[in-house]
Short mmCIF file of all heavy atoms in Angstrom, two decimals:
data_model
loop_
_atom_site.label_atom_id
_atom_site.label_comp_id
_atom_site.label_asym_id
_atom_site.label_seq_id
_atom_site.Cartn_x
_atom_site.Cartn_y
_atom_site.Cartn_z
N GLY A 18 168.97 104.29 38.54
CA GLY A 18 167.80 103.90 39.28
C GLY A 18 168.16 103.73 40.77
O GLY A 18 167.46 102.99 41.52
N GLN A 19 169.17 104.36 41.27
CA GLN A 19 169.62 104.21 42.66
C GLN A 19 169.28 105.41 43.52
O GLN A 19 169.74 105.55 44.69
CB GLN A 19 171.11 103.99 42.73
CG GLN A 19 171.59 102.80 41.96
CD GLN A 19 173.07 102.71 41.83
OE1 GLN A 19 173.78 103.71 41.97
NE2 GLN A 19 173.58 101.57 41.46
N LEU A 20 168.44 106.35 43.02
CA LEU A 20 168.13 107.56 43.77
C LEU A 20 166.63 107.78 43.71
O LEU A 20 166.10 108.07 42.64
CB LEU A 20 168.89 108.77 43.16
CG LEU A 20 168.85 110.05 43.91
CD1 LEU A 20 169.42 109.94 45.32
CD2 LEU A 20 169.63 111.13 43.09
N GLU A 21 165.98 107.70 44.91
CA GLU A 21 164.54 107.91 44.97
C GLU A 21 164.16 109.35 45.35
O GLU A 21 163.14 109.89 44.98
CB GLU A 21 163.88 106.92 45.79
CG GLU A 21 163.81 107.12 47.25
CD GLU A 21 163.11 106.09 48.06
OE1 GLU A 21 163.67 104.91 48.07
OE2 GLU A 21 162.14 106.31 48.66
N SER A 22 165.08 110.00 46.12
CA SER A 22 164.90 111.37 46.54
C SER A 22 166.13 111.97 47.12
O SER A 22 167.03 111.22 47.52
CB SER A 22 163.77 111.49 47.60
OG SER A 22 164.15 110.92 48.79
N VAL A 23 166.19 113.26 47.17
CA VAL A 23 167.32 113.97 47.79
C VAL A 23 166.75 115.02 48.75
O VAL A 23 165.78 115.72 48.41
CB VAL A 23 168.22 114.74 46.72
CG1 VAL A 23 169.32 115.53 47.39
CG2 VAL A 23 168.81 113.74 45.72
N GLU A 24 167.40 115.17 49.91
CA GLU A 24 167.07 116.12 50.91
C GLU A 24 168.26 116.95 51.22
O GLU A 24 169.38 116.38 51.43
CB GLU A 24 166.50 115.42 52.14
CG GLU A 24 166.08 116.40 53.19
CD GLU A 24 165.38 115.71 54.40
OE1 GLU A 24 165.03 114.50 54.29
OE2 GLU A 24 165.20 116.40 55.43
N PHE A 25 168.13 118.23 51.29
CA PHE A 25 169.22 119.16 51.56
C PHE A 25 169.00 119.78 52.93
O PHE A 25 167.91 120.17 53.40
CB PHE A 25 169.24 120.29 50.57
CG PHE A 25 169.73 119.87 49.21
CD1 PHE A 25 168.78 119.43 48.19
CD2 PHE A 25 171.00 119.80 48.86
CE1 PHE A 25 169.19 119.00 46.97
CE2 PHE A 25 171.46 119.45 47.63
CZ PHE A 25 170.59 118.98 46.67
N VAL A 26 170.19 119.86 53.62
CA VAL A 26 170.24 120.55 54.95
C VAL A 26 171.59 121.28 55.00
O VAL A 26 172.49 120.97 54.20
CB VAL A 26 170.15 119.53 56.12
CG1 VAL A 26 168.79 118.84 56.12
CG2 VAL A 26 171.26 118.48 56.08
N GLY A 27 171.77 122.22 55.91
CA GLY A 27 173.04 122.80 56.15
C GLY A 27 173.03 124.29 56.07
O GLY A 27 172.06 124.99 56.33
N LEU A 28 174.20 124.84 55.56
CA LEU A 28 174.46 126.23 55.68
C LEU A 28 175.01 126.73 54.30
O LEU A 28 175.69 125.96 53.64
CB LEU A 28 175.49 126.53 56.75
CG LEU A 28 175.04 126.12 58.13
CD1 LEU A 28 176.28 126.18 59.08
CD2 LEU A 28 173.96 126.97 58.64
N CYS A 29 174.78 127.90 53.98
CA CYS A 29 173.78 128.87 54.36
C CYS A 29 172.59 128.68 53.45
O CYS A 29 172.76 128.54 52.26
CB CYS A 29 174.33 130.28 54.25
SG CYS A 29 175.66 130.62 55.41
N THR A 30 171.39 128.72 54.01
CA THR A 30 170.16 128.49 53.28
C THR A 30 170.11 129.31 52.06
O THR A 30 169.75 128.84 50.93
CB THR A 30 168.94 128.72 54.12
OG1 THR A 30 169.12 128.31 55.46
CG2 THR A 30 167.66 128.12 53.54
N ASP A 31 170.41 130.56 52.19
CA ASP A 31 170.23 131.64 51.12
C ASP A 31 171.43 131.68 50.09
O ASP A 31 171.35 132.44 49.18
CB ASP A 31 169.99 132.96 51.75
CG ASP A 31 171.06 133.37 52.74
OD1 ASP A 31 171.29 132.51 53.65
OD2 ASP A 31 171.63 134.47 52.65
N ILE A 32 172.44 130.79 50.36
CA ILE A 32 173.59 130.85 49.38
C ILE A 32 173.77 129.46 48.84
O ILE A 32 173.42 129.08 47.73
CB ILE A 32 174.83 131.44 50.01
CG1 ILE A 32 174.54 132.91 50.54
CG2 ILE A 32 175.95 131.44 49.02
CD1 ILE A 32 175.67 133.50 51.32
N CYS A 33 174.38 128.58 49.65
CA CYS A 33 174.81 127.31 49.16
C CYS A 33 173.73 126.21 49.20
O CYS A 33 173.69 125.36 48.23
CB CYS A 33 176.07 126.83 49.92
SG CYS A 33 177.48 127.91 49.51
N VAL A 34 172.86 126.24 50.16
CA VAL A 34 171.78 125.23 50.16
C VAL A 34 170.86 125.43 48.97
O VAL A 34 170.60 124.54 48.20
CB VAL A 34 171.03 125.27 51.51
CG1 VAL A 34 169.77 124.35 51.38
CG2 VAL A 34 171.86 124.93 52.66
N ILE A 35 170.43 126.68 48.75
CA ILE A 35 169.49 126.93 47.65
C ILE A 35 170.18 126.73 46.30
O ILE A 35 169.59 126.15 45.37
CB ILE A 35 168.84 128.36 47.71
CG1 ILE A 35 167.74 128.50 46.70
CG2 ILE A 35 169.94 129.47 47.54
CD1 ILE A 35 166.95 129.80 46.89
N SER A 36 171.46 127.08 46.19
CA SER A 36 172.19 126.86 44.89
C SER A 36 172.28 125.37 44.53
O SER A 36 172.02 125.09 43.36
CB SER A 36 173.61 127.40 45.05
OG SER A 36 173.63 128.80 45.15
N ASN A 37 172.54 124.55 45.51
CA ASN A 37 172.65 123.10 45.21
C ASN A 37 171.28 122.48 45.01
O ASN A 37 171.13 121.59 44.10
CB ASN A 37 173.44 122.36 46.36
CG ASN A 37 174.91 122.72 46.20
OD1 ASN A 37 175.56 122.22 45.35
ND2 ASN A 37 175.40 123.59 47.06
N ALA A 38 170.29 122.89 45.75
CA ALA A 38 168.94 122.36 45.55
C ALA A 38 168.43 122.74 44.13
O ALA A 38 167.89 121.87 43.47
CB ALA A 38 167.96 122.90 46.60
N LEU A 39 168.65 123.94 43.69
CA LEU A 39 168.16 124.35 42.39
C LEU A 39 168.97 123.79 41.23
O LEU A 39 168.41 123.45 40.21
CB LEU A 39 168.07 125.90 42.27
CG LEU A 39 167.05 126.52 43.26
CD1 LEU A 39 167.00 128.04 43.10
CD2 LEU A 39 165.69 125.94 43.06
N LEU A 40 170.27 123.61 41.42
CA LEU A 40 171.06 122.89 40.41
C LEU A 40 170.56 121.50 40.22
O LEU A 40 170.46 120.96 39.11
CB LEU A 40 172.54 122.84 40.80
CG LEU A 40 173.40 124.04 40.48
CD1 LEU A 40 174.76 123.92 41.14
CD2 LEU A 40 173.58 124.21 38.96
N THR A 41 170.28 120.83 41.35
CA THR A 41 169.75 119.43 41.31
C THR A 41 168.40 119.37 40.67
O THR A 41 168.11 118.52 39.77
CB THR A 41 169.71 118.85 42.75
OG1 THR A 41 171.05 118.94 43.32
CG2 THR A 41 169.28 117.47 42.73
N LYS A 42 167.52 120.33 41.02
CA LYS A 42 166.21 120.38 40.42
C LYS A 42 166.30 120.60 38.89
O LYS A 42 165.52 119.99 38.08
CB LYS A 42 165.38 121.43 41.09
CG LYS A 42 163.90 121.51 40.69
CD LYS A 42 163.15 120.29 41.23
CE LYS A 42 161.71 120.34 40.96
NZ LYS A 42 161.07 119.05 41.29
N ALA A 43 167.19 121.45 38.47
CA ALA A 43 167.33 121.71 37.06
C ALA A 43 167.80 120.54 36.30
O ALA A 43 167.36 120.25 35.14
CB ALA A 43 168.33 122.88 36.82
N GLU A 44 168.66 119.74 36.90
CA GLU A 44 169.22 118.56 36.18
C GLU A 44 168.23 117.37 36.26
O GLU A 44 168.20 116.53 35.34
CB GLU A 44 170.56 118.14 36.87
CG GLU A 44 171.29 117.05 36.14
CD GLU A 44 171.70 117.39 34.71
OE1 GLU A 44 171.94 118.56 34.44
OE2 GLU A 44 171.83 116.44 33.95
N MET A 45 167.43 117.24 37.32
CA MET A 45 166.53 116.12 37.49
C MET A 45 165.16 116.64 37.97
O MET A 45 164.75 116.56 39.11
CB MET A 45 167.14 115.15 38.57
CG MET A 45 168.43 114.50 38.08
SD MET A 45 169.39 113.77 39.41
CE MET A 45 170.29 115.24 39.99
N PRO A 46 164.38 117.24 37.04
CA PRO A 46 163.11 117.87 37.43
C PRO A 46 162.09 116.91 38.00
O PRO A 46 161.17 117.32 38.75
CB PRO A 46 162.64 118.54 36.09
CG PRO A 46 163.39 117.82 35.03
CD PRO A 46 164.63 117.34 35.62
N GLU A 47 162.16 115.65 37.73
CA GLU A 47 161.15 114.71 38.21
C GLU A 47 161.61 113.98 39.54
O GLU A 47 160.84 113.33 40.14
CB GLU A 47 160.86 113.60 37.23
CG GLU A 47 160.17 114.11 35.96
CD GLU A 47 158.89 114.86 36.24
OE1 GLU A 47 158.05 114.32 37.08
OE2 GLU A 47 158.67 115.96 35.66
N LEU A 48 162.79 114.25 39.97
CA LEU A 48 163.32 113.72 41.29
C LEU A 48 162.68 114.44 42.44
O LEU A 48 162.77 115.72 42.44
CB LEU A 48 164.81 113.80 41.32
CG LEU A 48 165.47 113.30 42.61
CD1 LEU A 48 165.24 111.86 42.84
CD2 LEU A 48 166.94 113.70 42.62
N PRO A 49 162.06 113.81 43.40
CA PRO A 49 161.58 114.53 44.58
C PRO A 49 162.77 115.17 45.33
O PRO A 49 163.71 114.45 45.70
CB PRO A 49 160.91 113.49 45.44
CG PRO A 49 160.56 112.40 44.42
CD PRO A 49 161.66 112.42 43.37
N ILE A 50 162.75 116.46 45.50
CA ILE A 50 163.82 117.20 46.20
C ILE A 50 163.18 117.90 47.39
O ILE A 50 162.17 118.54 47.26
CB ILE A 50 164.51 118.20 45.29
CG1 ILE A 50 165.14 117.39 44.11
CG2 ILE A 50 165.56 119.02 46.04
CD1 ILE A 50 165.75 118.24 43.09
#
């Protein structure tokens, strides 16, 4: 209960940013990302 949302920034959008955002979304589909 210690995480209300996650925001991603950085490099490279098309490789590592998207990979981490989608891994997070897959694990926590109801978390605002």
